[in-house]
Amino acid sequence: MVDILERQAQMQKEYYQRLYEKNEEMREFRHDYHHHTAYLLEQMEVQHYDKAYQYLCHLDAASEKVIGQQFIYSGNSVIDAVIYSILSKKENQEIVLQYEGKLKAHINIEDIDLCSAVSNILENAVEACRECKDKRIVMHAAVHNENLIIQISNTYKEKQIDNSKTSKSDSEFHGYGIKSVMRIIRKYDGSINCFEGDGMYHVMIQFNEKAKK
């Protein structure tokens, strides 16, 4: 329990530190922007189009560096911190994440449980697709009728599971962190569904926000 709390605290510390740094970079870029546009206009007026083009390319590269990396996905700080912490690792930077869905800043699931469940499943997905040429993860999150639903899908190299049943039994879900994930699912009277389709391996978890035990 202490290890999980420490891990969550470290994830969120790194996430908020990077958000602060990104905000400072954006402020600096906005401050200098009018200088850039003034220089471009000056070069255009004297018909130095090559210089203007080269400067514009440099400016575009600089702006991409500032705004290129995404930090806010779901709008929930715990989930966003988990995503950033895992995908920002050097060995995971080739993985493409497609995220869909917005959540409330506060969800009626304890932060430690949300962090543990999402991080375990996402780490499994990352480990699997890291071995593929097509390194891709698709993540959906939504709240429907007071149920938090999260689905994480990843490309994979070999067949991992051969069932499509929704169950609370440990035998239906495999991988690192199984006991922790299943404990959290039972705590919130939830369910887990593991299946294959469209060339991806899917794990969908559901928590009842009002069923905390």
Side-chain angles (χ1 to χ4, degrees), residues 51-64:
K51 283 187 177 182
Y53 176 75
Q54 291 173 6
Y55 193 86
L56 189 59
C57 289
H58 174 77
L59 185 61
D60 183 62
S63 66
E64 181 62 27

Side-chain angles (χ1 to χ4, degrees), residues 117 121-122 124-125 138-140 149-154 160-161 172-174 181 185 191-196 200-206:
I121 295 173
L122 186 56
N124 279 347
V138 180
M139 184 172 177
H140 303 265
I149 303 167
I150 298 173
Q151 179 170 312
I152 298 176
S153 307
N154 60 274
Q160 297 175 332
I161 196 167
E172 298 290 305
F173 179 68
H174 307 274
V181 173
I185 286 172
S191 63
I192 185 166
N193 187 12
C194 306
F195 58 98
E196 295 174 274
M200 303 189 83
Y201 180 65
H202 311 269
V203 177
M204 183 171 68
I205 52 175
Q206 178 176 313

Side-chain angles (χ1 to χ4, degrees), residues 15-213:
Y15 175 68
Y16 288 127
Q17 177 62 32
R18 192 64 190 98
L19 278 181
Y20 172 80
E21 292 171 358
K22 177 63 68 174
N23 185 57
E24 290 299 300
E25 290 171 4
M26 287 293 293
R27 288 177 62 185
E28 182 180 342
F29 186 80
R30 284 196 298 266
H31 177 267
D32 293 341
Y33 192 75
H34 70 281
H35 296 302
H36 298 310
T37 54
Y39 176 82
L40 283 169
L41 287 172
E42 179 183 308
Q43 295 303 309
M44 295 293 286
E45 286 174 359
V46 295
Q47 299 182 359
H48 289 170
Y49 301 122
D50 287 343
K51 283 187 177 182
Y53 176 75
Q54 291 173 6
Y55 193 86
L56 189 59
C57 289
H58 174 77
L59 185 61
D60 183 62
S63 66
E64 181 62 27
K65 184 178 179 181
V66 172
I67 65 176
Q69 187 176 5
Q70 185 174 352
F71 292 92
I72 299 175
Y73 299 89
S74 69
N76 176 272
S77 62
V78 175
I79 292 177
D80 290 349
V82 168
I83 294 173
Y84 172 76
S85 177
I86 293 174
L87 293 181
S88 64
K89 292 178 181 178
K90 185 177 180 180
E91 63 268 27
N92 298 334
Q93 290 180 2
E94 291 184 357
I95 296 173
V96 176
L97 173 71
Q98 177 185 340
Y99 179 87
E100 297 179 5
K102 290 297 179 183
L103 298 173
K104 297 177 293 184
H106 176 72
I107 299 172
N108 196 29
I109 306 292
E110 290 186 20
D111 288 353
I112 187 172
D113 293 332
L114 195 57
C115 176
S116 182
V118 175
S119 61
N120 275 310
I121 295 173
L122 186 56
E123 282 176 345
N124 279 347
V126 163
E127 184 178 352
C129 75
R130 197 187 293 149
E131 303 299 320
C132 304
K133 289 184 178 179
D134 179 16
K135 305 178 192 301
R136 183 164 44 93
I137 293 175
V138 180
M139 184 172 177
H140 303 265
V143 174
H144 180 66
N145 293 333
E146 297 178 337
N147 288 297
L148 172 62
I149 303 167
I150 298 173
Q151 179 170 312
I152 298 176
S153 307
N154 60 274
T155 52
Y156 64 100
K157 207 168 185 179
E158 297 178 357
K159 196 168 185 179
Q160 297 175 332
I161 196 167
D162 190 20
N163 68 75
S164 57
K165 298 177 181 179
T166 299
S167 174
K168 297 179 185 178
S169 67
D170 290 4
S171 62
E172 298 290 305
F173 179 68
H174 307 274
Y176 180 77
I178 168 62
K179 291 182 179 179
S180 175
V181 173
M182 296 309 301
R183 174 187 58 79
I184 295 166
I185 286 172
R186 286 191 292 267
K187 180 177 179 179
Y188 294 92
D189 194 24
S191 63
I192 185 166
N193 187 12
C194 306
F195 58 98
E196 295 174 274
D198 299 323
M200 303 189 83
Y201 180 65
H202 311 269
V203 177
M204 183 171 68
I205 52 175
Q206 178 176 313
F207 306 100
N208 187 329
E209 290 190 86
K210 288 196 170 182
K212 178 180 172 182
K213 296 179 181 178

